[in-house]
Amino acid sequence: MDSASAGSDNSIKEAIPATASALLSAASQQGGGGSESSPSPAPPSRYESQKRRDWNTFLQYLTNHKPPLTLARCSGTHVIEFLKYLDQFGKTKVHITDCPYFGHVNPPAPCACPLKQAWGSLDALIGRLRAAYEENGGRPESNPFGARAVRIYLREVREGQAKARGIPYEKKKRKRPTVTTTAVGVNVSRTSTQPVDGGGGRGGICGGDDSVGAKTGANVGSATAVAAATTNSV
C-alpha cells in the first residue's frame, strides 16, 4: 500500500510540471497570435509622402545655402530663390522672347531655349510646403510660403509661360449647385353660415354679418303680416 501510494504521489508530482509547461506554451502561442493579428498602421498617402520629401529637400537647401539659413530666418525672398534653384531640374520648354517659336504651342523643330519647372508644379509645391511649415510648428502669420512676394512671383511665372508656350492658363470656374424649389399652393375655402331667423348673425360660425340676419328677420316678419292680413280679409 505504501509503495503504491508513493508511486502515485511521484507520478502526480511529475505530471504537475508537465501540465504547467504545457499551459505556459499555449499562453505564449496565444499571445504571439494576438500580436500578429493586430492591424498594422496604414501607409501614408501619396500626398503625405510627397509633402515629406519636399519638406526635407527644402531643409537640405537651407543647410547648403551660403551662408547657411535657419527656418526661423527664412523669408519669401529665400522661397523664391529656392524655386529658381529648382528650374535646373525642370522639364518644361519655355521659349525666350527672341526664339522664333515664341508663343507656338507645337514648335516644328527643337530650339535651344531652357527647360524650367512648369508653373503648375511650382504652385502645387508651394501648397505642400506651406502646409508642412505649419505642421512642423510654424505660425501661419509668419509662413514664408504664403508671403505676398511668393504669390506675385508665381503669377508672373504663370503669365510668362503662357505667353512663351502659347498656352493660356484659364482658371476653372466652379459649378454652382442648382437648387430646385417646388412651390406648393394650398387653397383654403372659408365657409360662413348665416342664420335664417331674426336673432342676429353674431352666433354664426366665423362671425356672420349682423345686417344679413336683420334683413332676414324683417323679411320673415313682413311675410307673416301679409299672411295675417289676407286671412282677416277672407
Side-chain angles (χ1 to χ4, degrees):
M1 293 290 293
D2 295 339
S3 61
S5 60
S8 62
D9 292 340
N10 293 332
S11 61
I12 292 172
K13 292 179 181 179
E14 292 176 356
I16 290 175
T19 305
S21 62
L23 292 175
L24 291 175
S25 62
S28 63
Q29 291 178 359
Q30 291 178 357
S35 61
E36 292 177 358
S37 61
S38 60
S40 57
S45 63
R46 182 179 179 182
Y47 171 79
E48 293 295 332
S49 300
Q50 185 64 46
K51 182 171 61 175
R52 187 181 302 111
R53 288 194 297 268
D54 295 337
W55 182 247
N56 293 333
T57 301
F58 181 72
L59 294 180
Q60 188 64 36
Y61 170 79
L62 295 181
T63 303
N64 298 336
H65 192 274
K66 295 180 181 180
L69 287 173
T70 60
L71 189 61
R73 295 177 55 190
C74 182
S75 64
T77 304
H78 299 117
V79 174
I80 295 175
E81 292 178 358
F82 174 67
L83 296 180
K84 293 180 179 180
Y85 160 79
L86 294 177
D87 276 337
Q88 60 182 317
F89 308 107
K91 299 179 181 179
T92 301
K93 177 78 70 173
V94 180
H95 303 287
I96 60 177
T97 308
D98 298 335
C99 179
Y101 305 133
F102 181 83
H104 286 255
V105 180
N106 298 314
C111 62
C113 292
L115 297 175
K116 294 185 178 182
Q117 293 285 346
W119 164 80
S121 301
L122 296 179
D123 185 63
L125 172 65
I126 290 299
R128 292 191 296 268
L129 291 176
R130 184 174 183 175
Y133 177 85
E134 297 180 6
E135 291 175 359
N136 286 272
R139 295 180 299 176
E141 58 272 13
S142 61
N143 195 329
F145 302 100
R148 182 173 180 270
V150 177
R151 295 196 300 269
I152 294 176
Y153 175 77
L154 288 176
R155 184 169 65 246
E156 292 176 351
V157 170
R158 181 187 62 183
E159 295 175 355
Q161 292 188 3
K163 294 178 181 179
R165 303 178 60 201
I167 303 176
Y169 293 100
E170 296 180 357
K171 188 176 182 181
K172 295 182 179 179
K173 296 182 179 180
R174 296 182 179 179
K175 295 183 179 179
R176 294 183 179 181
T178 57
V179 179
T180 304
T181 305
T182 304
V184 179
V186 179
N187 296 327
V188 179
S189 62
R190 185 175 179 179
T191 305
S192 61
T193 60
Q194 299 172 352
V196 179
D197 56 359
R202 297 196 179 188
I205 299 176
C206 299
D209 192 359
D210 292 341
S211 62
V212 175
K215 291 179 181 179
T216 305
N219 294 333
V220 173
S222 300
T224 304
V226 170
T230 305
T231 304
N232 293 331
S233 63
V234 174

